[in-house]
Amino acid sequence: AMGWDRQGLRLRVSVNVSPRQMLNEHFIDTVRQALSESGLAADRLSLEVGESALLREAKGLHATLESLRTIGVGVCLDDFGAGLATLASLRGLPISEIKIDRSFVRPLPGTPEDRMAVQTVIGLAHQLGLRAIAVGVEHAAQWAWLKEQGCDAAQGWLIGKPVEAEGLVETIAALRRGRGHFAEPAARV
């Protein structure tokens, strides 16, 4: 991320972590040390953990999640909708984002039931003060519909294919030149 900064591209970086990693007694110290050594601001780091794993370990992870929030690191609940999350379980979690599972995004704009499920998740996220991110966006019609619903961001083949770190600056520049409307954040951002 700091290398990209030097190339004029300021990004927020997401890193997948497991609850097992987060339960390690040295996890917060490791995160602080990585931020200190790299010079990356804490608010530019988001740690992603899967819904089912996070909810299974929620009580054990609560202190870690609070510590991450205190130092300014975001936590994203990944694969939302694929597990058994309830409003009660989400309400107390110190998270900053929900990633809507691709199984909900794939059929969009789809049937009224498909749309209602995603609208509900986006509304829930916003009511809880969280960002809603759609995963698996592959078609312009999906992204257009998601933006209309207030979805904050998207990831998927439509937005861009996976690239090596060295080619990211060039890839984003090309995306902005060729399909700039996909590079812009949704209305709520």
Side-chain angles (χ1 to χ4, degrees):
M2 297 309 292
W4 293 323
D5 268 10
R6 289 186 287 279
Q7 296 177 60
L9 186 62
R10 184 175 165 82
L11 297 174
R12 197 161 153 250
V13 179
S14 294
V15 177
N16 289 312
V17 295
S18 71
R20 180 181 213 151
Q21 288 172 300
M22 294 177 101
L23 286 168
N24 181 299
E25 64 182 289
H26 303 291
F27 182 74
I28 297 297
D29 292 334
T30 301
V31 171
R32 281 189 180 117
Q33 182 178 355
L35 292 170
S36 176
E37 288 176 5
S38 68
L40 184 69
D43 65 350
R44 294 195 34 223
L45 175 62
S46 179
L47 300 178
E48 295 185 13
V49 63
E51 170 194 348
S52 58
L54 179 60
L55 295 176
R56 193 172 50 246
E57 300 289 343
K59 289 184 181 181
L61 290 174
H62 202 275
T64 299
L65 296 172
E66 282 295 342
S67 293
L68 290 168
R69 180 192 299 203
T70 299
I71 62 175
V73 172
V75 176
C76 179
L77 187 61
D78 201 6
D79 305 322
F80 185 78
L84 301 171
T86 65
L87 180 55
S89 62
L90 283 179
R91 193 177 42 187
L93 285 176
I95 59 175
S96 51
E97 299 173 328
I98 291 177
K99 280 194 168 181
I100 305 166
D101 189 71
R102 71 182 66 249
S103 64
F104 290 96
V105 174
R106 188 177 301 117
L108 292 175
T111 67
E113 291 81 14
D114 295 330
R115 293 188 298 270
M116 183 176 25
V118 174
Q119 287 170 323
T120 300
V121 173
I122 293 169
L124 172 65
H126 293 164
Q127 287 295 315
L128 293 171
L130 308 173
R131 287 173 31 106
I133 302 168
V135 175
V137 176
E138 297 181 2
H139 307 288
Q142 290 170 321
W143 182 223
W145 185 85
L146 286 159
K147 285 194 303 185
E148 286 175 14
Q149 306 313 307
C151 189
D152 298 296
Q155 70 180 57
W157 290 96
L158 176 69
I159 310 304
K161 295 178 181 176
V163 296
E164 296 292 325
E166 297 78 29
L168 186 62
V169 173
E170 184 178 305
T171 300
I172 289 179
L175 278 171
R176 287 180 175 159
R177 282 190 309 271
R179 300 184 302 174
H181 59 284
F182 295 121
E184 296 300 318
R188 273 192 98 250
V189 175

